[in-house]
Amino acid sequence: MAARRISSVISRSISLRPLSSSVVSQGNRTSLGSEVQRFSTAAALEEPIIPSVKVNYTKLLIDGKFVDSASGKTFPALDPRTGEVIADVAEGDAEDINRAVSAARKAFDEGPWPRMTAYERSCILLRFADLVEKHNDEIAALESWNSGKPYEQSAKTEVPGLARLFRYYAGWADKIHGLTVPADGPYHVQTLHEPIGVAGQIIPWNFPLLMFAWKVGPALACGNTIVLKTAEQTPLTALYVSKLFLEAGLPPGVLNIVSGFGPTAGAALASHMDVDKIAFTGSTDTGKIVQELAAKSNLKPVTLELGGKSPFIVCEDADVDRAVELAHFALFFNQGQCCCAGSRTFVHERVHDEFLEKARARAQRRTVGDPFQKGIEQGPQIDTEQFQKILKYIRSGIESDATLECGGDRFGSKGYYIQPTVFSNVKDDMLIAQDEIFGPVQTILKFKEVDDVIKRANATKYGLAAGVFTKNIDTANRLTRALRAGTVWVNCFDVFDAAIPFGGYKMSGIGREKGIYSLNNYLQVKAVVTQLKNPAWL
Amino acid sequence: MAARRISSVISRSISLRPLSSSIVSQGNRTSLGSEVQRFSTAAALEEPIIPSVKVNYTKLLIDGKFVDSASGKTFPALDPRTGEVIADVAEGDAEDINRAVSAARKAFDEGPWPRMTAYERSCILLRFADLVEKHNDEIAALESWNSGKPYEQSAKTEVPGLARLFRYYAGWADKIHGLTVPADGPYHVQTLHEPIGVAGQIIPWNFPLLMFAWKVGPALACGNTIVLKTAEQTPLTALYVSKLFLEAGLPPGVLNIVSGFGPTAGAALASHMDVDKIAFTGSTDTGKIVQELAAKSNLKPVTLELGGKSPFIVCEDADVDRAVELAHFALFFNQGQCCCAGSRTFVHERVHDEFLEKARARAQRRTVGDPFRKGIEQGPQIDTEQFEKILKYIKSGVESDATLECGGDRFGSKGYYIQPTVFSNVKDDMLIAQDEIFGPVQTILKFKEVDDVIKRANATKYGLAAGVFTKNIDTANRLTRALRAGTVWVNCFDVFDAAIPFGGYKMSGIGREKGIYSLNNYLQVKAVVTQLKNPAWL
């Protein structure tokens, strides 16, 4: 069904496929945007389009029931197009985390979930994926309403991607094999790969549903129970889809969702003595706190997926038009709100000037506006804090004498829209070349030698991803090995298929998510050694 | 050669095999000990036997050279038999760690080690193992001199175990495969398993050489460089064998050894911004500090192998004589100084009284004395701090109304010898049943139902290991799955073959060492995604 839905919408070029969402391979986009506002059209946005979905789930999900928070407090979920309230949501804090962990603990220690067969668990995940597909358009509408991302991106890439991830991990559930192990003596040795127990998971606001999938998919496939804290900006879709999980037959207490804030609910989860594992996606600074809280409490193992300042390297043999499009996509996708954004565009000096001119033109062509409007590439940033932070970095770029090629200001007068912005003459030591901006701000740097660009690309505390654009196989192979990054995309970017592991070197994180690698995050290895009497072989 | 050496000494029963060091499978020991002092013989020990080895290496090993510490300071390495000084050893602190990390960084970033073939690296590890065998007896003498463990244990189990581990990981060096990965679109996806970089490693004093092997073996096999801090109690053998590594052809800077203390050298290593990975074996309290320092500095991934309070469960169908011998070994081996010691002996009520009587008799038969004397089973504890701590726990046991069956005091009047001690009538809430004593103190608890013993065995913050003694396959399988511990030994204990992963659930640690699993600790996963043009298949 996902394939059918998607193939019916190929007029949009974000993706022909559920998850391999590279824009560029789909051909040119110059025919797009004629019906929508360009960012240079700074006129006030029209009235926001009303999404066709009702907000039915605003309470915490604990032990299979939607409940108010213990304190009775709520907080508003906002529409980034306007800053207005979509719904008031129950605000979980430490006491709600305690209730959720108790439910998850009981579901793990005594409940049916780890004791049903892997095949039965697998079937529940598959039924969930089916229900996600059935409700694709409402889920997508809710996701875009609360996060500001283009509706077509939600409907054609991200919600199908949610179903895709759960089908992928449903397939793993009954393929988690331990090993039998050769011994040095008369012993029968085997390893059991057991569920780790109660998993705490904290997800960010930039891809609420995909981050839900990356976290929940492998944890459930391995037989664990979960307490998941959503980002305070985007609590709505996780609640919606968790309801579908109950419909799919997930036993109560296996998946608990607590909406709330980091310093209260998040810290309580990371510090909890009855949580056996914590996984966090977000900023490096917060990741360090999560790791510290885990260390100070019960030494629960930690998976971290953190910030980045990923290089996108355009080599001298590049087809400039394709390189421009890919580099544009690498940075501007999702309003620039990607941890793996290609946020340092290194361009070889031989093609630099042409690249720059075309990159500026491409950014100027970028269609900004209401994410529910057809053909829109860029919606608003998530909230006022991010909005202000990005504008501050733009000012910093100008003050540090980078050349502002286009953009540089807010778009319109309402909500959190920012003009697609391009800086040239960027130097490695400028703040805009070192910090994670997390917005639609492309910084273009020039390079001459491959040796040199390797050093510069690696001269960062981050190591999440890298893009390489070249036709030369030796250059591609050389860069691929030398770049200290968890993902290297060669002549593509942001390909997020379910089977591809994702995660960081250095301060971009610990561990890998997606693919076979993510299973390790949710398993304990138990060695079982049994004495043998009269073995036929050793 | 190892096999020949070992088979020539089967008069000793510690092990017929290099690493599967279960005493019990070798038959009864009642004929032993006639020539040596029993612990009840409280007469003063004779003059300590002089070990046949010279102490040639006392400086730090940095960048392939033995050098003084930057401060010029030294500290004494002591003989636990007497508390007297064996040698003064260069005392490394933060500045020396900096020098060592610089050397390791350079060796990784620019040196030949990660750039030679895996086969070449493998050959160096194999040559090292050969050299270890050649110098088996001197290394063993030094190990026992500095740590107090029986010489025969060092010579016949631990030094051969060192060679065994390095041959095992030599074999892995050229078998570290990444994956090619199915994509959802026209992409060629592969994963590279790369060395992680500079590994910091901190090892304890209870098995100085084996812990060296567990840490250094996989790190080198994966192509990393190392800064290793030894325990301040036992700096000598790591320096000795590292000299052999240089002889074997290891390039300078690949393995750096810093002798020193935790709060200075250890903390500097765990906090270092240029260290890409830290592995620690030691106490849970220190492990938490290591994890916090890693989080506060550069988020280096951490492997922890920490404390335990492992249950040893004797079921009602047990052959009592064998159970007694195995439980005795599980606790008293290595002077009780094992993180995985079977330190809660749960005995089914039906066999309890017989077990207790025989366990007491076995402890009373245990031969304590100069570790260099033939037939000695138990040497001194490592140092005065441990010695005092153990005596304090014995007092606590007496005060909490456990029954002291035998032992309970120091042995002799010199050095750190303690009498083999057995407590019965131990209750779960007594300190001696909850804390890690790390000495020759067996605590015997009674149980009735399997359900009940599962709960009690798991009611601890630790989860390192467990022993199960039964002939009933259903009981064995039931306990094996239910016990929350990283290793379950069934009808055996302390089997430490190279291929068996070892590590803890809960607060006993994070990650696994030995076996294929330890490779993950020293590898980064890099996903490489390349666009395909006209693929023949997907």
Side-chain angles (χ1 to χ4, degrees):
Chain A
M1 269 178 63
R4 242 190 304 136
R5 172 172 297 115
I6 290 155
S7 63
S8 70
V9 290
I10 49 172
S11 62
R12 279 294 299 147
S13 61
I14 288 206
S15 182
L16 286 173
R17 298 176 306 101
L19 266 174
S20 289
S21 51
S22 171
V23 155
V24 186
S25 60
Q26 318 306 331
N28 80 61
R29 353 181 6 108
T30 49
S31 66
L32 281 173
S34 58
E35 58 193 320
V36 294
Q37 291 177 299
R38 305 292 174 70
F39 90 85
S40 53
T41 312
L45 292 162
E46 294 159 23
E47 275 305 293
I49 295 166
I50 298 168
S52 55
V53 58
K54 278 187 188 145
V55 181
N56 289 326
Y57 307 104
T58 59
K59 297 186 176 184
L60 314 178
L61 175 60
I62 295 179
D63 207 13
K65 296 187 197 76
F66 285 95
V67 296
D68 289 320
S69 62
S71 68
K73 283 207 286 187
T74 64
F75 67 101
L78 304 178
D79 179 344
R81 300 176 299 174
T82 59
E84 285 163 14
V85 177
I86 299 173
D88 288 310
V89 175
E91 181 184 335
D93 61 18
E95 196 175 334
D96 302 291
I97 291 289
N98 286 343
R99 292 155 69 202
V101 171
S102 291
R105 187 82 260 163
K106 197 170 154 230
F108 184 78
D109 291 342
E110 303 163 27
W113 185 246
R115 288 161 196 84
M116 62 175 71
T117 66
Y119 176 54
E120 288 170 313
R121 285 195 293 270
S122 166
C123 289
I124 291 174
L125 301 188
L126 292 172
R127 279 202 294 275
F128 171 70
D130 292 344
L131 289 170
V132 167
E133 274 188 352
K134 186 174 154 196
H135 296 274
N136 186 87
D137 294 352
E138 305 98 274
I139 301 170
L142 197 57
E143 185 81 334
S144 282
W145 194 6
N146 196 186
S147 72
K149 64 177 70 201
Y151 171 74
E152 290 173 326
Q153 177 186 324
S154 297
K156 287 152 200 164
T157 304
E158 298 187 16
V159 181
L162 175 69
R164 172 72 185 96
L165 252 287
F166 275 94
R167 292 209 176 97
Y168 177 81
Y169 281 107
W172 270 119
D174 54 3
K175 292 161 201 79
I176 294 169
H177 294 82
L179 302 170
T180 57
V181 178
D184 287 348
Y187 299 98
H188 173 60
V189 181
Q190 55 193 307
T191 59
L192 302 179
H193 293 188
E194 300 192 337
I196 196 166
V198 175
Q201 306 184 320
I202 302 174
I203 60 173
W205 47 260
N206 57 342
F207 294 96
L209 286 171
L210 289 180
M211 294 301 102
F212 176 95
W214 291 20
K215 296 278 184 293
V216 172
L220 291 186
C222 295
N224 299 281
T225 63
I226 296 172
V227 176
L228 180 136
K229 189 198 91 65
T230 48
E232 65 269 23
Q233 294 88 347
T234 53
L236 297 177
T237 46
L239 295 171
Y240 189 111
V241 300
S242 296
K243 177 60 172 45
L244 299 181
F245 246 132
L246 299 179
E247 267 183 65
L250 195 73
V254 174
L255 175 62
N256 304 276
I257 310 285
V258 178
S259 316
F261 293 80
T264 51
L269 188 56
S271 305
H272 207 290
M273 293 300 287
D274 271 341
V275 171
D276 300 308
K277 159 79 194 175
I278 187 100
F280 168 81
T281 296
S283 74
T284 294
D285 286 345
T286 308
K288 294 174 81 165
I289 294 170
V290 168
Q291 178 69 276
E292 280 185 57
L293 293 175
K296 282 181 179 153
S297 54
N298 64 345
L299 279 171
K300 54 182 82 63
V302 177
T303 310
L304 298 175
E305 203 269 87
L306 308 175
K309 192 74 183 178
S310 298
F312 183 96
I313 302 173
V314 180
C315 298
E316 59 182 320
D317 61 354
D319 170 337
V320 174
D321 288 337
R322 294 195 60 234
V324 163
E325 189 58 41
L326 194 62
H328 177 85
F329 170 69
L331 185 282
F332 289 97
F333 175 62
N334 205 48
Q335 294 72 248
Q337 301 168 147
C338 299
C339 48
C340 57
S343 52
R344 290 182 293 153
T345 312
F346 288 101
V347 183
H348 192 274
E349 58 174 14
R350 269 195 43 199
V351 292
H352 176 270
D353 293 353
E354 183 189 353
F355 181 97
L356 175 58
E357 191 188 320
K358 290 180 171 172
R360 182 183 53 227
R362 178 63 186 89
Q364 288 173 323
R365 269 203 316 280
R366 187 166 184 80
T367 55
V368 183
D370 189 324
F372 285 95
Q373 192 164 331
K374 209 168 152 58
I376 282 292
E377 295 175 287
Q378 181 177 320
Q381 309 306 122
I382 189 70
D383 64 9
T384 183
E385 186 185 333
Q386 291 293 319
F387 176 79
Q388 295 298 346
K389 192 183 97 178
I390 295 161
L391 293 175
K392 195 195 71 186
Y393 275 115
I394 291 173
R395 270 198 303 279
S396 157
I398 294 168
E399 284 162 12
S400 61
D401 281 340
T403 307
L404 179 68
E405 296 284 343
C406 65
D409 208 344
R410 76 181 300 172
F411 176 80
S413 56
K414 204 164 131 187
Y416 312 128
Y417 294 89
I418 290 185
Q419 297 171 359
T421 298
V422 177
F423 279 107
S424 64
N425 290 313
V426 178
K427 302 287 172 265
D428 293 4
D429 60 354
M430 292 178 185
L431 217 54
I432 56 169
Q434 296 193 330
D435 285 11
E436 187 175 37
I437 300 174
F438 230 63
V441 182
Q442 185 175 33
T443 63
I444 298 177
L445 304 96
K446 201 188 286 190
F447 78 93
K448 192 170 176 178
E449 304 290 344
V450 170
D451 272 348
D452 178 53
V453 82
I454 288 171
K455 271 194 200 125
R456 293 167 66 194
N458 284 338
T460 164
K461 68 179 176 182
Y462 295 116
L464 193 54
V468 170
F469 202 81
T470 182
K471 284 178 175 153
N472 184 313
I473 192 170
D474 293 324
T475 309
N477 284 339
R478 169 114 195 269
L479 285 166
T480 291
R481 292 229 169 197
L483 293 168
R484 309 247 328 132
T487 301
V488 179
W489 284 297
V490 180
N491 298 328
C492 59
F493 208 88
D494 280 353
V495 180
F496 279 117
D497 297 358
I500 306 175
F502 185 80
Y505 281 49
K506 298 192 274 184
M507 291 175 77
S508 286
I510 295 177
R512 294 294 178 271
E513 295 187 309
K514 293 199 288 119
I516 187 174
Y517 299 90
S518 196
L519 300 174
N520 294 338
N521 300 326
Y522 296 100
L523 294 169
Q524 275 282 22
V525 174
K526 179 185 279 179
V528 182
V529 184
T530 308
Q531 200 189 36
L532 290 174
K533 299 281 177 71
N534 303 317
W537 55 269
L538 280 180
Chain B
M1 267 177 63
R4 243 190 305 136
R5 172 171 298 114
I6 291 156
S7 63
S8 70
V9 291
I10 48 171
S11 61
R12 279 297 297 147
S13 62
I14 288 207
S15 182
L16 286 173
R17 298 178 302 101
L19 268 174
S20 288
S21 51
S22 172
I23 271 181
V24 185
S25 59
Q26 316 307 330
N28 80 61
R29 346 183 10 107
T30 49
S31 66
L32 280 174
S34 57
E35 56 192 321
V36 294
Q37 291 176 299
R38 304 293 173 70
F39 91 87
S40 53
T41 312
L45 291 162
E46 294 159 24
E47 275 306 294
I49 295 167
I50 298 169
S52 55
V53 59
K54 277 186 190 149
V55 181
N56 288 327
Y57 307 104
T58 59
K59 297 186 176 186
L60 313 178
L61 175 60
I62 295 178
D63 208 14
K65 296 187 196 75
F66 285 94
V67 296
D68 289 320
S69 63
S71 68
K73 283 207 287 188
T74 62
F75 68 100
L78 304 179
D79 179 344
R81 298 176 300 174
T82 58
E84 284 163 15
V85 177
I86 300 173
D88 288 309
V89 176
E91 180 184 336
D93 60 18
E95 195 174 335
D96 302 291
I97 291 289
N98 286 343
R99 291 155 70 201
V101 171
S102 291
R105 187 83 259 163
K106 196 167 156 234
F108 185 79
D109 291 343
E110 302 163 29
W113 184 245
R115 288 161 197 85
M116 60 175 73
T117 66
Y119 176 55
E120 289 170 312
R121 284 195 293 272
S122 165
C123 290
I124 290 174
L125 300 189
L126 291 172
R127 280 202 294 274
F128 171 71
D130 292 345
L131 289 169
V132 166
E133 274 189 351
K134 188 174 151 195
H135 295 275
N136 186 87
D137 294 352
E138 305 99 274
I139 301 170
L142 198 57
E143 185 81 333
S144 281
W145 195 4
N146 197 185
S147 72
K149 64 177 69 202
Y151 171 73
E152 290 174 326
Q153 177 185 324
S154 296
K156 286 153 200 164
T157 303
E158 299 189 14
V159 181
L162 175 69
R164 172 72 185 96
L165 252 287
F166 276 94
R167 291 209 177 97
Y168 177 82
Y169 280 107
W172 270 119
D174 55 1
K175 292 161 201 79
I176 294 169
H177 294 81
L179 301 170
T180 57
V181 178
D184 287 348
Y187 299 98
H188 173 60
V189 181
Q190 56 194 307
T191 59
L192 302 179
H193 294 187
E194 300 192 337
I196 197 166
V198 175
Q201 305 183 320
I202 302 175
I203 60 173
W205 48 260
N206 57 341
F207 294 95
L209 286 171
L210 289 181
M211 294 302 102
F212 176 95
W214 291 20
K215 296 277 184 293
V216 172
L220 291 185
C222 294
N224 300 281
T225 62
I226 295 171
V227 177
L228 179 136
K229 189 197 92 65
T230 47
E232 64 269 23
Q233 293 88 346
T234 52
L236 297 177
T237 46
L239 295 170
Y240 188 112
V241 301
S242 296
K243 177 60 172 46
L244 299 182
F245 246 132
L246 299 179
E247 267 183 66
L250 195 74
V254 174
L255 175 61
N256 304 276
I257 310 286
V258 178
S259 316
F261 293 80
T264 51
L269 187 57
S271 304
H272 207 290
M273 294 299 287
D274 271 341
V275 171
D276 300 308
K277 161 77 195 174
I278 187 98
F280 169 81
T281 296
S283 74
T284 295
D285 286 346
T286 309
K288 293 173 82 165
I289 294 170
V290 168
Q291 178 68 276
E292 280 185 57
L293 294 175
K296 282 182 179 152
S297 54
N298 65 346
L299 279 171
K300 54 182 83 62
V302 177
T303 310
L304 298 175
E305 203 270 87
L306 308 174
K309 191 75 182 177
S310 298
F312 183 96
I313 301 172
V314 180
C315 298
E316 59 182 320
D317 61 354
D319 169 338
V320 174
D321 289 336
R322 293 196 59 234
V324 163
E325 188 58 41
L326 194 62
H328 177 84
F329 171 68
L331 186 281
F332 288 97
F333 176 61
N334 205 49
Q335 293 72 248
Q337 300 167 148
C338 298
C339 47
C340 57
S343 52
R344 289 182 294 153
T345 310
F346 288 101
V347 183
H348 192 275
E349 58 173 15
R350 269 194 43 197
V351 292
H352 176 270
D353 293 352
E354 182 189 353
F355 181 96
L356 175 58
E357 190 188 321
K358 290 180 171 171
R360 181 184 53 227
R362 178 63 186 90
Q364 287 173 325
R365 269 204 316 279
R366 188 166 184 81
T367 55
V368 183
D370 190 323
F372 283 95
R373 193 184 303 197
K374 207 166 151 58
I376 282 291
E377 295 176 286
Q378 181 176 320
Q381 310 304 124
I382 187 69
D383 64 10
T384 183
E385 186 186 332
Q386 291 294 318
F387 175 81
E388 296 296 342
K389 193 183 95 177
I390 295 161
L391 292 176
K392 195 195 72 188
Y393 275 115
I394 292 174
K395 269 202 291 289
S396 155
V398 173
E399 285 162 11
S400 60
D401 281 339
T403 307
L404 180 68
E405 296 282 345
C406 66
D409 208 344
R410 75 181 300 171
F411 175 81
S413 57
K414 203 166 133 187
Y416 312 128
Y417 295 89
I418 290 185
Q419 298 171 357
T421 298
V422 176
F423 279 107
S424 63
N425 290 313
V426 178
K427 302 286 172 268
D428 293 5
D429 59 355
M430 291 179 185
L431 216 56
I432 56 169
Q434 296 193 331
D435 285 12
E436 187 175 37
I437 300 175
F438 229 64
V441 183
Q442 186 175 32
T443 62
I444 298 177
L445 305 97
K446 200 188 286 190
F447 78 93
K448 191 170 176 180
E449 304 290 344
V450 171
D451 271 348
D452 177 54
V453 82
I454 288 172
K455 271 194 202 126
R456 292 167 66 194
N458 285 336
T460 164
K461 66 179 178 183
Y462 296 115
L464 194 53
V468 170
F469 203 81
T470 182
K471 284 178 173 151
N472 184 313
I473 193 170
D474 292 324
T475 308
N477 285 339
R478 169 113 194 270
L479 285 166
T480 292
R481 292 229 168 196
L483 292 168
R484 310 255 317 140
T487 301
V488 179
W489 284 295
V490 181
N491 299 329
C492 57
F493 208 88
D494 280 353
V495 180
F496 280 117
D497 297 357
I500 306 175
F502 185 80
Y505 281 48
K506 297 192 273 182
M507 291 176 76
S508 286
I510 296 177
R512 293 295 179 269
E513 295 187 308
K514 294 197 287 115
I516 187 174
Y517 298 91
S518 196
L519 301 173
N520 295 337
N521 300 326
Y522 297 100
L523 294 169
Q524 276 282 22
V525 175
K526 179 184 279 180
V528 182
V529 184
T530 308
Q531 200 188 36
L532 291 174
K533 300 280 177 70
N534 303 317
W537 55 270
L538 279 179

